[in-house]
Amino acid sequence: MINKNSMENDASHIRILLVGGGTGGHFFPLISIAETLNTLPLKPQLYYAGPTPYDTAMLLKEQITFVQIPSGKQRQYFSFLNYLDFFKTFFGLFVAFFKLYVIYPDVIMSKGGYTSVPVVIAGALLRIPIIIHESDAIIGKANKIGAKVARTVVTAYDETIDSVPKKNSVIKLGIPVRKILLSNPSSNAITNLNVDPDRPILLVLGGSQGAERINALILESLDELLTDFTVIHQTGTQHIEVCKLSADTLIPDASIRKHYHPIAFLDATTLNDAYHLASIVISRAGSTSIYEIALHGKPSILIPIPEDVSHDQRTNAYAYARTGAGSVMEEENLTDSLLRAEIDRIMQSEEIYAKMSSSARNFGARDTGERVAELVMKTAQEH
């Protein structure tokens, strides 16, 4: 825990620059760290660097100043855009060097992702202390670059340590999670989500943008699932209307269809309520999603993005499954009958359900945001 009294006299002079990603999995753990830093009596000055602010309202709420620094994305597949983006990253390095020199933060907290590369390199050239956080079981390309110059690398999996260049700099603390996702459910959670409290609930998460294959699988399975379960389904904004129309067609009986709840996007409060109410979570295998599921102690069925698109999710899923907290189903082999069989295997055995729930709770640490914030402040004060 951060000793607030010892920092009261000098925290307001400290400048901390946050950088990472371009996705919620990078952005929101940084927000979790900022939430803790903002509880100090004299708060440090916070900055967020990247090509775009990602979530302007969230930055404003946490009193974080946005610093625009361009960066190019290196795609996993062949694309001429990779060549163009290389020059964008190179240009971003010069911009980052100039802006970091002006701000001169006491520490850079990097979550990885392509947007972090120019900032981390510029920070190393300016001898600014760097802390890297890696959420995945295998360190990503950007963080592998950053880890070579970082003072500390924070991880969530034991497996990550083997892929870090400087192993003596690694600390396993977990993944910072926003405070709202660590809170009790809303008093009117059942009413707000309009669910039947007497039915077990399946929470389906395809990521913030949804996942077409998971959406299609759930729609194909509705006739079997809705006989016994309520389904809360985050579809993604671009898929919501298709899912609603498909459900109307596939399940014409309104008395059964009322147990299907497609939602374009679950905000933090609603997502927290849904986690608390869910019996099982069916999800992609993004590291932050896995950690949130674990902190709520929910058995899960993970459907990672296919390996030809992303190696990270498959590695995350199997690393998590080895703890006994979840099971993994490969997208290319998945059918509605196999999904229902796996749900029944978990739900119909008190022993399996209890073991998965217990393993999930043992996997996650609820105070990671505070512990990483403490590390950031300690590093900044030593600068």
Side-chain angles (χ1 to χ4, degrees), residues 20 50 75 77 95-96 108 112 125 166-167 205 212 254 270 278 291 316 357 367:
R75 297 155 187 82
Y77 51 89
V95 175
I108 294 172
L125 292 173
K166 297 192 309 182
K167 294 178 175 54
L205 304 172
E212 286 190 61
T270 310
Y291 215 75
N316 293 342
S357 181
D367 63 347

Side-chain angles (χ1 to χ4, degrees), residues 42 51 122 140 250 258 297 302 353 369 378:
L42 292 176
L250 294 168
K258 70 179 183 179
L302 301 177
Y353 191 93
K378 181 180 178 182

Side-chain angles (χ1 to χ4, degrees), residues 78-94:
F78 174 78
S79 172
F80 285 109
L81 292 175
N82 285 337
Y83 296 103
L84 296 175
D85 281 5
F86 171 79
F87 291 102
K88 191 183 293 184
T89 300
F90 191 69
F91 174 67
L93 175 58
F94 286 96

Side-chain angles (χ1 to χ4, degrees), residues 90-289:
F90 191 69
F91 174 67
L93 175 58
F94 286 96
V95 175
F97 188 91
F98 173 75
K99 292 191 175 182
L100 288 182
Y101 183 79
V102 173
I103 299 170
Y104 215 84
D106 294 283
V107 64
I108 294 172
M109 176 68 236
S110 173
K111 193 64 190 66
Y114 68 95
T115 65
S116 71
V117 173
V119 175
V120 167
I121 294 175
L125 292 173
L126 290 167
R127 298 186 179 277
I128 299 169
I130 297 166
I131 298 173
I132 300 290
H133 185 280
E134 177 57 63
S135 295
D136 292 316
I138 295 180
I139 193 167
K141 291 181 179 179
N143 271 348
K144 189 169 286 187
I145 295 170
K148 294 177 181 178
V149 296
R151 181 170 298 187
T152 308
V153 178
V154 180
T155 71
Y157 292 90
D158 291 323
E159 288 85 346
T160 314
I161 298 172
D162 293 333
S163 60
V164 176
K166 297 192 309 182
K167 294 178 175 54
N168 62 338
S169 66
V170 182
I171 303 174
K172 181 187 171 187
L173 295 179
I175 300 175
V177 172
R178 288 172 289 168
K179 295 186 185 301
I180 186 65
L181 292 171
L182 299 173
S183 63
N184 292 326
S186 305
S187 58
N188 53 352
I190 292 174
T191 303
N192 288 345
L193 285 165
N194 194 29
V195 294
D196 183 344
D198 297 324
R199 275 177 159 243
I201 293 172
L202 304 179
L203 173 60
V204 181
L205 304 172
S208 60
Q209 300 304 313
E212 286 190 61
R213 180 66 189 97
I214 291 180
N215 289 349
L217 175 68
I218 294 302
L219 290 168
E220 292 166 7
S221 308
L222 281 182
D223 57 340
E224 293 187 31
L225 296 177
L226 295 183
T227 56
D228 301 296
F229 301 97
T230 291
V231 177
I232 300 174
H233 181 191
Q234 179 176 270
T235 66
T237 305
Q238 66 269 47
H239 305 304
I240 183 65
E241 294 305 323
V242 170
C243 288
K244 286 181 177 179
L245 289 172
S246 297
D248 289 345
T249 302
L250 294 168
I251 312 293
D253 188 339
S255 65
I256 297 175
R257 194 175 64 248
K258 70 179 183 179
H259 299 299
Y260 175 59
H261 301 272
I263 302 173
F265 176 73
L266 294 164
D267 61 46
T269 299
T270 310
L271 177 59
N272 184 54
D273 287 343
Y275 275 136
H276 278 285
L277 295 176
S279 299
I280 295 179
V281 181
I282 301 168
S283 176
R284 281 300 197 197
S287 53
T288 302
S289 294

